[in-house]
Amino acid sequence: MNRTTHVILIIVTLFIGSCSWIGITDRSDRYLEAESIDRVEIPEPLDRPNFTDVMGVPRVTDPRGLQGQKPDVGLPEALGASVEVDQIVIKKLGDTRWVFLDVPPASVWPRVQEFFEANNLLIQSADPSRGIIETQWLTSSEGDGEEMFTSMTESLSWTDAGQRVQNKFRLQIEPGIRPDSSEIHIEHARMGEGAPYRRDNIEWDSKSDNIEVEQELLTELAHYLGETINQGQSVSLLAGSVQGSPRAQLVPDAQKPVLKYKLPFNRAWATVGAALEDARISVEDLDRASSIYYVVYDNSRVEQPGFLRRLFSNEDEEVSEANRYMVHLDTMPGDEVHVTVKKDQETSADPLVAERLLQIIKEYST
């Protein structure tokens, strides 16, 4: 390094070090100190046109109690829900099964109708605004679920009149727990050939007469959607109204944030457990009677996705007591469950830590 280079380095160093001395300062956070000013008044006799605010400034709420604090704005967190989650998957809880899709109902509805048409499952009524389809009575032969479904779609029930069965399906598309997702539920009703009562007076009670047939139709529908959901951009505007209010809502709070599920308790309990597993948050123990998951969560740790996380993780790493939390579920009226995070039975967790953990659970909820 020659003498000229040394001189240049010294000058640059002195210039950088003296920036604040000569009045050059970091103004990146100055906007945080900005305040509202009065609207500019146009003096007489100038014209005073009617001004319209193109973008209104909403009233600021502060549920976290952060007023007066200087925020530490870093890089945005990765959305875990978009990683390692199948777009279409059949979910199960007890005897109940449904199809989950990371697609809004408005995009699912046209494909479901195409499935019924492609399989000769004649539709009696369809209400896209409610997300409900009911088929006509469909004739099939006796047998297992696959045999009955095949005979319905291929008109193979004519071989033995004594073995014919009448089948009817009711399909319901509902908004999923995650935003812009859907759930498809199917119910099956059946009766023997020549039943003495009216066949158009079915009381649907969310319990299928033949679970095997229901599961077969649900499986075939899931496969069809997997092959066709990304073909074209068919959207039903009427089915867009199926969305309704969110089924999972995170409510920030300065003391005790809460994740609200509009679900029965059994479904909410299973949803939280699956979300913790999918997010790879360690569950040390659980107490179904007390509605508590005992978890290990390190709020300061930067999680690496998938392979990198497994490669650099230490399975024998000692767990700090500070990273142990209780995820507690409370049953509320109207099939609603509230999820909160505690340090122990009497103490709530740090609200910002609790909010971040609840956000992860919400993102992985299906």
Side-chain angles (χ1 to χ4, degrees):
M1 186 178 294
N2 55 37
R3 182 176 179 182
T4 303
T5 304
H6 277 293
V7 172
I8 294 174
L9 286 176
I10 293 173
I11 293 174
V12 171
T13 302
L14 290 174
F15 176 79
I16 294 175
S18 60
C19 282
S20 59
W21 179 76
I22 63 176
I24 302 177
T25 58
D26 180 10
R27 299 174 180 268
S28 60
D29 292 339
R30 185 63 60 84
Y31 73 95
L32 295 173
E33 302 173 4
E35 297 180 356
S36 298
I37 61 175
D38 294 333
R39 185 188 295 272
V40 174
E41 292 292 336
I42 300 177
E44 296 287 356
L46 300 178
D47 293 337
R48 297 185 177 184
N50 293 324
F51 289 100
T52 301
D53 292 326
V54 177
M55 183 178 294
V57 179
R59 182 180 297 276
V60 177
T61 59
D62 187 24
R64 301 176 181 86
L66 300 178
Q67 184 176 1
Q69 302 182 27
K70 184 176 181 180
D72 182 14
V73 181
L75 294 174
E77 298 178 15
L79 292 177
S82 62
V83 180
E84 299 179 340
V85 177
D86 293 331
Q87 185 185 37
I88 301 176
V89 62
I90 296 178
K91 310 290 288 185
K92 178 182 178 183
L93 181 61
D95 289 335
T96 303
R97 285 175 170 81
W98 65 94
V99 178
F100 169 81
L101 308 92
D102 267 326
V103 182
S107 298
V108 177
W109 179 266
R111 298 305 182 194
V112 171
Q113 287 188 302
E114 291 172 5
F115 167 80
F116 279 88
E117 294 171 1
N119 287 278
N120 300 316
L121 303 175
L122 301 180
I123 295 175
Q124 176 178 306
S125 63
D127 186 347
S129 63
R130 297 169 57 207
I132 295 176
I133 291 176
E134 286 191 21
T135 68
Q136 299 179 14
W137 284 100
L138 308 169
T139 304
S140 76
S141 59
E142 286 282 15
D144 60 24
E146 183 178 358
E147 291 170 340
M148 293 180 66
F149 178 77
T150 301
S151 68
M152 272 185 281
T153 58
E154 299 182 3
S155 302
L156 300 179
S157 59
W158 54 268
T159 55
D160 187 350
Q163 293 294 311
R164 287 203 293 256
V165 179
Q166 296 296 310
N167 306 269
K168 191 179 183 68
F169 297 95
R170 183 179 190 270
L171 179 143
Q172 173 81 61
I173 300 178
E174 299 177 346
I177 298 177
R178 282 211 300 268
D180 295 326
S181 67
S182 304
E183 296 178 6
I184 302 176
H185 301 259
I186 292 177
E187 187 176 348
H188 169 258
R190 62 161 286 167
M191 64 178 63
E193 184 73 13
Y197 52 87
R198 287 178 59 85
R199 295 188 299 177
D200 59 351
N201 190 24
I202 296 295
E203 294 184 3
W204 301 103
D205 57 4
S206 302
K207 295 181 181 178
S208 288
D209 291 340
N210 189 318
I211 295 180
E212 288 188 5
V213 178
E214 172 207 308
Q215 293 175 1
E216 182 66 23
L217 178 58
L218 199 67
T219 301
E220 292 293 333
L221 175 59
H223 289 164
Y224 181 87
L225 292 173
E227 295 174 352
T228 63
I229 197 66
N230 291 321
Q231 297 176 6
Q233 298 293 329
S234 298
V235 174
S236 170
L237 297 179
L238 289 176
S241 62
V242 173
Q243 285 288 31
S245 58
R247 301 173 72 184
Q249 181 183 12
L250 178 58
V251 180
D253 186 78
Q255 301 297 326
K256 189 179 180 180
V258 59
L259 174 59
K260 298 181 179 180
Y261 285 117
K262 291 186 177 180
L263 298 171
F265 177 82
N266 289 343
R267 173 80 187 274
W269 174 263
T271 297
V272 172
L276 291 169
E277 180 180 357
D278 291 342
R280 294 190 176 91
I281 294 176
S282 176
V283 178
E284 290 189 316
D285 198 2
L286 56 89
D287 185 349
R288 175 64 181 267
S290 300
S291 308
I292 296 175
Y293 285 96
Y294 297 89
V295 305
V296 176
Y297 172 65
D298 185 356
N299 183 60
S300 63
R301 184 175 179 180
V302 178
E303 302 293 355
Q304 299 291 339
F307 172 75
L308 291 178
R309 180 174 183 174
R310 293 191 294 271
L311 183 65
F312 294 105
S313 63
N314 182 4
E315 298 292 341
D316 299 326
E317 184 178 350
E318 184 177 352
V319 177
S320 169
E321 191 63 32
N323 295 331
R324 286 190 167 94
Y325 297 92
M326 299 164 57
V327 178
H328 185 237
L329 283 70
D330 281 312
T331 303
M332 311 300 289
D335 268 350
E336 187 165 296
V337 176
H338 291 185
V339 185
T340 54
V341 181
K342 299 181 178 181
K343 284 302 294 180
D344 54 52
Q345 291 286 2
E346 305 298 330
T347 310
S348 296
D350 176 274
L352 294 182
V353 175
E355 183 180 334
R356 185 177 180 188
L357 177 53
L358 292 174
Q359 180 65 36
I360 293 174
I361 294 174
K362 178 177 180 290
E363 288 174 356
Y364 278 91
S365 293
T366 59

